[in-house]
Amino acid sequence: MISWPVARAAAREKLRSPAILVVGACFVSAAALGGRAGAPGDTFGGFGVAFLLVLTLALGAGLLSDELDSGHAQLVLLRPLTRAAWLGGRLAGAGVALAAVTAAAWAAAAVASLGSGHALPLSALALLPLAVLWAFAWLSVLTALGAILPGWTNAGALVVAAIAWATLRTTLPALLGHPEWAAAAAELSKYLGPQDPLGLAFDRHALGPALYDACWVFFAWLVAALLFNRRELARRRP
C-alpha cells in the first residue's frame, strides 16, 4: 500500500535536500563526461556505480526515522492512514527522487554522447530502468533496516555489514587453511543482496538478476511493513 500524498511530500523533501543535490550534481557530471567519451553505458559503470550507490544510501538514510524523530509521522498517523501506507509512501517518494536523479544522469550521458557525434546504442536505453530497479531494491533494504534502527544507522549498518563480509570472505578461508572456500564465499555473496541486473541490457537471456531484484523489492518492503507495524512510536514532542 502507498499513500501518494506522503510519497509526493517525501519526493519533494529528498529532491530539495542539499546532500542529494550535491551527490546528484556529481553523478550527472560524471555521466556527462562518460557520454562525451562515447560511453553512455559508463553512466552506471566505474564511478557511475559509486555515485548511484552513494545516492541510494543518501536517500535511504533516516528515511523513516527523520519523520519519527521530528514527531511529524506521529501527527500524520493520527489521520485515517495505516502505517503500511505511510511507510510505502515514504519509500515510493524516495524511489521517485532516485529515478529522477538517475534519469538526469542518464540523459546527461546520452546528450553528451550524441553531441560528440557518437551513436546511442539500443542497449543504453535499457540501462536506465535496470539501474533504477537495482538501486530501488537496495533502497527497500535500507527501509527495512530503518524500520528498527534509529537515525541514519540503517545506512551505516548496511555499509559496515558489506565491509565486514567482504573482509571475512577473503581472509577467513586463508586463516582456516581452506583457500578453496573463497570461491564458495564469492558465490554466496551474490545472494546476500540485490544483484547487478545491467547485463540484461546487452544479453536478453540474463534475466535472472532483474527478477531477483524484483523479489528483493517486494520481500524487503514486506519485512519493513511488518517490522514497522510492531514498532512502538514515541509520542510527538511539543
Side-chain angles (χ1 to χ4, degrees), residues 98-124:
L98 170 69
V101 176
T102 306
W106 182 91
V111 170
S113 178
L114 293 172
S116 300
H118 300 286
L120 190 66
L122 290 177
S123 59

Side-chain angles (χ1 to χ4, degrees), residues 70-210:
S70 68
H72 185 258
Q74 290 87 328
L75 182 62
V76 172
L77 289 171
L78 291 175
R79 302 172 183 175
L81 177 69
T82 65
R83 290 190 180 194
W86 179 83
L87 182 146
R90 293 291 294 173
L91 176 57
V96 169
L98 170 69
V101 176
T102 306
W106 182 91
V111 170
S113 178
L114 293 172
S116 300
H118 300 286
L120 190 66
L122 290 177
S123 59
L125 300 176
L127 287 173
L128 177 57
L130 291 172
V132 171
L133 171 63
W134 185 24
F136 188 72
W138 280 113
L139 191 60
S140 300
V141 174
L142 286 166
T143 304
L145 292 173
I148 55 174
L149 295 177
W152 54 265
T153 55
N154 60 332
L158 186 61
V159 171
V160 169
I163 294 174
W165 171 247
T167 303
L168 189 66
R169 73 169 187 157
T170 55
T171 59
L172 191 60
L175 290 174
L176 295 178
H178 291 279
E180 69 277 7
W181 290 359
E187 186 66 22
L188 176 62
S189 298
K190 298 178 181 178
Y191 302 97
L192 296 181
Q195 299 177 0
D196 181 353
L198 301 183
L200 182 59
F202 309 99
D203 180 5
R204 58 190 179 92
H205 298 291
L207 186 60

Side-chain angles (χ1 to χ4, degrees), residues 14-55:
K14 292 300 182 181
L15 290 172
R16 293 173 181 174
S17 167
I20 301 302
L21 292 175
V22 169
V23 174
C26 294
F27 191 9
V28 170
S29 299
L33 290 175
R36 288 188 63 185
D42 287 348
T43 306
F44 309 113
F47 283 114
V49 168
F51 284 123
L52 180 61
L53 294 178
V54 171
L55 174 65

Side-chain angles (χ1 to χ4, degrees), residues 54-75:
V54 171
L55 174 65
T56 304
L57 287 171
L59 288 168
L63 179 61
L64 304 181
S65 61
D66 286 349
E67 293 288 282
L68 294 172
D69 293 343
S70 68
H72 185 258
Q74 290 87 328
L75 182 62

